[in-house]
Amino acid sequence: MILPKNNRLSAEQVAELTAVVCEFGCRIQPIVGDVRTIYAIVGDERHDLMISRLEGLPYVDRVDTIQSPHKLMDIKSDLANHRVRVGGVTLGDELLIMAGHCTLDPKNPNRFYETAAAVKEAGAHAIRGGVWKPRTNPYAFQGDHRSLDILMEASRRTGLPVDTEVMDEEQLRMALDAGVHILQIGARNALNYSLLRQVGKAIAGRDTVVLLKRSIHSGPLNEFISAAEYIVNFGNPNVILCPRGTQPGLDGYRNHPDESITPLLKERTWAPVVVDPSHSVGKAAYVTACSLAAVAYGADGLCIEANVEPAKGLGDDPKQAVTPAALAGLIKQAKAIHALRRSTLSPVTAS
């Protein structure tokens, strides 16, 4: 990781850095922060001669080598001070709430508009809504690209950013062209490294945020963090880690709730953690308890399925979506726990 003496380097200086590291089989990846740009060395950085030559350049302050497999996501990397912002919320300072339908119904846009307005009234900062949906059953409703217009109209009506899942390059392009603020990578694609690379390339230079869900099958935490590294590697560090329950499930719950991994993630990476309690437990009656547990474990936010009429919703909404009234009560309790954590725990523990 190369830290320049000035906030940013000129094109000529970057070209000089690139020429040096290329001799050792590496490349330079700028990581643009709010105030300062740092320059990651992608490749094997354990070349003493390369480091010496870089540190000898007059515009280089220092070169930090990171032995962690996550050069960018590691909590000790120079992105440690990066903050992700969504809907006016700086994650880590204020609890982020995202809420909305599992699946948009292109035949009934008004229900989604009503839900969007209701979740905003309840205290949500962003709207979630599934335009395209991965389904185990090939005959189940897979979503409809026409729903993208409904999603963006809800954003215009409420003034809130929107989140939707993308599963391939075409959906990625359509979502970005439409102005989707938060791209969701679902549990089934969490280890689809080709898609992760495509997303990383597509959002480079944008303020787009990626909500990366944990793989549907329980695996090492380093695998989860490495998936985020694929995205951040292209220069946009606006990535959120999202535990959402894993398989095999726990009897009575849809999945095995995994909000307890939050402090483990925070020991290893600077990335904010937003928990999805809806998919974790799979039943509306349990969502509040799972949400409060997640915040108690240190989550920076929640991504919740909500619907003004859950029983009439598509996808998972009839089973696991909460009503706006229940969401409002949940948010009030969650904010109280979040405030308690911030007031009683040390900054390192509470971050």
Side-chain angles (χ1 to χ4, degrees):
M1 195 79 69
I2 302 169
L3 281 76
K5 291 180 179 178
N6 297 322
N7 291 342
R8 286 172 176 79
L9 297 180
S10 67
E12 292 77 13
Q13 290 169 334
V14 173
E16 187 174 14
L17 291 180
T18 300
V20 172
V21 302
C22 280
E23 293 182 33
F24 299 88
C26 301
R27 65 181 177 88
I28 294 293
Q29 175 60 59
I31 305 295
V32 181
D34 293 333
V35 177
R36 188 180 194 184
T37 297
I38 58 178
Y39 300 84
I41 303 171
V42 180
D44 188 352
E45 60 187 2
R46 295 171 297 179
H47 297 283
D48 291 340
L49 179 57
M50 179 180 72
I51 302 302
S52 295
R53 288 177 58 181
L54 291 172
E55 290 181 333
L57 296 173
Y59 47 82
V60 171
D61 182 24
R62 71 177 193 271
V63 179
D64 290 344
T65 58
I66 301 174
Q67 298 307 314
S68 165
H70 320 114
K71 295 181 180 181
L72 303 175
M73 298 300 297
D74 192 275
I75 195 169
K76 295 179 181 178
S77 83
D78 286 289
L79 285 175
N81 293 323
H82 178 72
R83 293 292 177 265
V84 178
R85 296 178 178 84
V86 174
V89 172
T90 300
L91 279 84
D93 293 342
E94 184 180 351
L95 188 70
L96 175 71
I97 305 295
M98 303 166 59
H101 290 192
C102 166
T103 307
L104 275 73
D105 184 353
K107 297 179 181 178
N108 192 346
N110 286 332
R111 183 176 295 125
F112 187 70
Y113 299 148
E114 292 172 12
T115 296
V119 299
K120 179 180 180 180
E121 180 67 22
H125 308 100
I127 304 167
R128 61 157 295 155
V131 174
W132 306 283
K133 300 300 295 183
R135 294 297 184 207
T136 303
N137 185 339
Y139 306 109
F141 180 65
Q142 308 285 319
D144 191 312
H145 69 274
R146 292 174 298 174
S147 297
L148 188 57
D149 293 334
I150 300 171
L151 181 70
M152 299 316 299
E153 177 61 22
S155 178
R156 287 187 285 272
R157 293 188 182 192
T158 60
L160 297 183
V162 291
D163 159 76
T164 200
E165 181 176 355
V166 294
M167 297 177 288
D168 58 41
E169 193 169 5
E170 181 183 9
Q171 293 173 4
L172 171 62
R173 176 188 57 78
M174 292 177 65
L176 289 177
D177 287 348
V180 169
H181 311 85
I182 307 156
L183 299 174
Q184 179 176 304
I185 306 299
R188 290 174 176 83
N189 275 310
L191 303 180
N192 182 344
Y193 301 122
S194 177
L195 177 62
L196 298 180
R197 288 192 189 96
Q198 290 172 1
V199 170
K201 291 177 182 178
I203 66 171
R206 296 173 176 260
D207 59 3
T208 310
V209 175
V210 175
L211 182 77
L212 176 65
K213 293 202 170 184
R214 190 183 182 195
S215 172
I216 199 166
H217 295 289
S218 181
L221 295 189
N222 281 346
E223 183 180 75
F224 188 18
I225 300 170
S226 290
E229 185 93 2
Y230 272 90
I231 300 169
V232 175
N233 184 38
F234 290 94
N236 183 338
N238 293 324
V239 173
I240 298 170
L241 301 178
C242 184
R244 45 79 69 205
T246 59
Q247 288 291 317
L250 186 64
D251 189 25
Y253 293 146
R254 175 175 180 173
N255 290 293
H256 195 113
D258 61 347
E259 67 275 358
S260 61
I261 70 171
T262 299
L264 302 178
L265 290 170
K266 287 178 170 290
E267 285 180 348
R268 304 183 191 193
T269 179
W270 51 265
V273 177
V274 170
V275 171
D276 176 350
S278 302
H279 284 85
S280 185
V281 296
K283 188 174 292 186
Y286 306 142
V287 167
T288 294
C290 185
S291 298
L292 301 184
V295 178
Y297 272 116
D300 300 297
L302 300 166
C303 182
I304 299 170
E305 289 187 358
N307 194 314
V308 290
E309 295 181 285
K312 296 182 180 180
L314 296 180
D316 298 321
D317 278 359
K319 297 178 293 183
Q320 62 194 38
V322 299
T323 64
L327 178 68
L330 184 163
I331 292 173
K332 182 178 180 180
Q333 295 177 71
K335 284 185 173 181
I337 294 175
H338 186 260
L340 180 64
R341 279 186 56 86
R342 288 182 61 82
S343 66
T344 60
L345 300 179
S346 67
V348 172
T349 306
S351 63

